[in-house]
Amino acid sequence: MYSVYPLLLSNLFFIFIFSFYFQSRSLLLPKNAILPLRIQSIQPGSLTKPPKKLYFNHNISLTVTLTVGSPPQPVTMVLDTGSELSYLHCNKTPTTPLSYDALHSTSYTPIPCTSPVCKTRTRDFTLPVSCDQKKLCHVILSYADATSVEGNLAYDTFRFTDSVLPGVIFGCMDTGSSSNQEEDSKSTGLMGLNRGSLSFVTQMGYPKFSYCISGQDSTGVLMFGEFNTTWLKPLSYTPMVNISTPLPYFDRVAYTVQLEGIKVAGTVLPLPKSVYEPDHTGAGQTMIDSGTQFTFLLGPVYTALKNEFLKQTKNVLRVYEDLNFVFQGAMDLCYRVERSRVGLPVLPNVSMMFRGSEMVVSGQKLLFKVGGLTKGSDDVYCFTFGNSDLLGIEAYVIGHHHQQNMWMEFDLVNNRVGFAEISCDSATQKLGIDS
């Protein structure tokens, strides 16, 4: 979930200490640990470091289930590669019926203001951390979708069946606001998986992680570590973009890749490559974000894509002409589709051309049915690319809807992102996980 505020400078000395701390902890990870929702043992085979598996569900958000605290309490967390700090809702309110009870965990340890952790500079902390009345480290996290949470930093033990991770840093949040209370009621918190020093994947200490998302309202798998995937066709890799100089609108711990062009069927949008590159402020980076549902493009690129898609579908789709309707505030290209029709018509593929690789979006992933909206005998479907400018986001964001039925790999050691088309239902079977 993309953070709306500018990047704060990192405390390099603190990051060095934490890197050593997390690397030391990673040596203690069990050799055959597996992460649930549903868990199966992985045969050692050719694994250089046996992976962990998490089985997840998704609708608007991707969620994983694990346990936290002593004794263990089950929690459900949104999987978010766009965020750093993981957090849990730590009290019960009408909008957050799922919560974690810190008072009943003997391993829960709040972090005081005097701790170096409280002085960490991350993009997630939208305001400088402060001390509350109990001299504990108080943080506020805000996101571009208008959600926010606040509470205290703390340590506790996170568990994945036979894996025990003591002293994981997270946010124990007691207040917050939401743009989607119905979805929030299905989760206990958020698992931050970006490249920051406080992210869950950094604290785990694994060199890479992967996930595969099945179709709408379905399931998938999240895996940490190296594993044998001889049944998976070779991944197409694109390097991550790194900028050493701090820039106000560039998130240096995001999974940033370089978008170089977009084409509809065989037609490349007539735009210069420079329109896809970050400017001198860092605005215009391309991030892969599992915490965002759809894909958002900066205004000039979105307009060019919209016009080309309209041109190529004018004979097979009927535009929904309501100037006052913009789906989710950023998607203004929608269509009327007869409810009696079986399936959507054949649509032109949209390809996002990255440096060294290409991600093809086709078929059902191009249009999304708007729930609860009908016009006569028609349903309304909207184009699944939106306009970043309408959301106030100075970036290209590749959401999880367009990652469905793709194996997504985030290789932290080799500084690259890989992907390959696959049936994720088939992948979970290959991995020995029941649907």
Side-chain angles (χ1 to χ4, degrees):
M1 197 183 306
Y2 178 59
S3 174
V4 71
Y5 289 88
L7 178 67
L8 298 174
L9 295 177
S10 296
N11 184 319
L12 297 179
F13 176 69
F14 176 78
I15 289 176
F16 171 78
I17 293 174
F18 259 61
S19 295
F20 176 77
Y21 170 62
F22 291 144
Q23 288 169 14
S24 298
R25 285 187 53 211
S26 70
L27 298 177
L28 302 176
L29 290 173
K31 296 296 184 183
N32 267 329
I34 304 165
L35 309 183
L37 267 177
R38 297 190 180 180
I39 310 157
Q40 298 273 333
S41 295
I42 301 177
Q43 298 301 319
S46 61
L47 305 182
T48 58
K49 185 175 184 181
K52 297 173 176 288
K53 293 192 292 192
L54 259 171
Y55 194 51
F56 62 75
N57 291 297
H58 80 88
N59 184 359
I60 292 176
S61 299
L62 309 178
T63 59
V64 292
T65 296
L66 54 149
T67 63
V68 178
S70 305
Q73 301 176 38
V75 298
T76 300
M77 305 179 76
V78 173
L79 180 69
D80 191 359
T81 60
S83 294
E84 179 170 350
L85 183 69
S86 300
Y87 70 80
L88 296 172
H89 295 295
C90 285
N91 72 325
K92 292 194 175 185
T93 69
T95 58
T96 56
L98 293 178
S99 64
Y100 160 72
D101 189 350
L103 295 177
H104 287 82
S105 172
T106 58
S107 51
Y108 174 80
T109 306
I111 294 176
C113 298
T114 55
S115 169
V117 178
C118 198
K119 298 177 174 61
T120 307
R121 297 295 186 182
T122 83
R123 191 183 184 93
D124 273 13
F125 299 167
T126 56
L127 296 172
V129 295
S130 60
C131 287
D132 64 13
Q133 294 179 346
K134 297 180 179 180
K135 304 296 184 183
L136 300 178
C137 189
H138 187 81
V139 295
I140 300 175
L141 308 182
S142 297
Y143 302 97
D145 64 355
T147 62
S148 65
V149 290
E150 65 178 289
N152 297 111
L153 289 186
Y155 301 102
D156 210 337
T157 299
F158 282 59
R159 290 179 172 85
F160 306 93
T161 60
D162 58 346
S163 301
V164 180
L165 293 171
V168 173
I169 299 167
F170 71 105
C172 187
M173 304 308 192
D174 51 18
T175 60
S177 61
S178 173
S179 61
N180 194 327
Q181 295 182 359
E182 180 182 353
E183 282 302 309
D184 278 0
S185 68
K186 300 174 184 176
S187 66
T188 321
L190 177 144
M191 180 184 287
L193 288 173
N194 72 10
R195 296 189 287 167
S197 62
L198 296 182
S199 81
F200 192 81
V201 68
T202 300
Q203 296 191 54
M204 287 277 287
Y206 277 88
K208 68 174 62 172
F209 69 95
S210 307
Y211 57 72
C212 199
I213 307 166
S214 297
Q216 189 70 19
D217 296 329
S218 189
T219 54
V221 62
L222 165 67
M223 300 188 69
F224 291 99
E226 298 281 356
F227 48 90
N228 181 6
T229 53
T230 54
W231 42 268
L232 182 66
K233 68 180 182 181
L235 300 185
S236 175
Y237 287 99
T238 185
M240 283 190 263
V241 175
N242 294 308
I243 295 181
S244 58
T245 303
L247 298 174
Y249 294 104
F250 190 91
D251 186 345
R252 291 190 294 166
V253 292
Y255 295 104
T256 300
V257 296
Q258 185 56 62
L259 183 63
E260 296 187 330
I262 295 178
K263 62 183 178 182
V264 183
T267 302
V268 178
L269 300 184
L271 297 170
K273 283 189 176 182
S274 59
V275 76
Y276 301 100
E277 297 173 352
D279 64 17
H280 66 284
T281 70
Q285 74 185 110
T286 300
M287 298 178 289
I288 298 178
D289 184 9
S290 68
T292 298
Q293 185 177 12
F294 297 112
T295 294
F296 299 96
L297 310 171
L298 292 182
V301 177
Y302 171 75
T303 299
L305 173 59
K306 172 183 172 181
N307 290 339
E308 183 61 33
F309 194 78
L310 273 168
K311 177 182 176 182
Q312 294 197 29
T313 58
K314 64 181 179 181
N315 295 324
V316 296
L317 289 173
R318 183 161 48 112
V319 174
Y320 175 48
E321 297 178 346
D322 183 349
L323 298 179
N324 295 318
F325 180 74
V326 180
F327 183 52
Q328 294 194 1
M331 302 156 81
D332 60 1
L333 176 55
C334 300
Y335 298 93
R336 296 178 63 160
V337 178
E338 293 181 3
R339 200 173 307 120
S340 60
R341 182 186 180 96
V342 179
L344 294 171
V346 177
L347 301 173
N349 294 343
V350 174
S351 299
M352 290 179 281
M353 298 180 289
F354 301 110
R355 186 170 294 161
S357 62
E358 188 172 304
M359 181 180 286
V360 180
V361 181
S362 61
Q364 299 283 342
K365 289 191 284 188
L366 288 165
L367 296 180
F368 185 83
K369 182 180 176 181
V370 179
L373 178 61
T374 59
K375 290 294 175 181
S377 60
D378 299 331
D379 289 319
V380 176
Y381 286 75
C382 291
F383 192 42
T384 52
F385 289 83
N387 189 341
S388 293
D389 293 0
L390 295 179
L391 295 178
I393 299 175
E394 296 287 339
Y396 299 93
V397 182
I398 312 301
H400 67 71
H401 182 79
H402 289 160
Q403 300 172 44
Q404 290 180 24
N405 286 314
M406 285 194 179
W407 189 270
M408 300 292 301
E409 178 186 279
F410 298 81
D411 186 340
L412 308 178
V413 172
N414 295 303
N415 200 43
R416 61 185 184 173
V417 176
F419 50 87
E421 291 187 13
I422 188 174
S423 165
C424 290
D425 289 336
S426 173
T428 56
Q429 293 175 4
K430 294 282 189 183
L431 293 166
I433 300 175
D434 295 328
S435 301

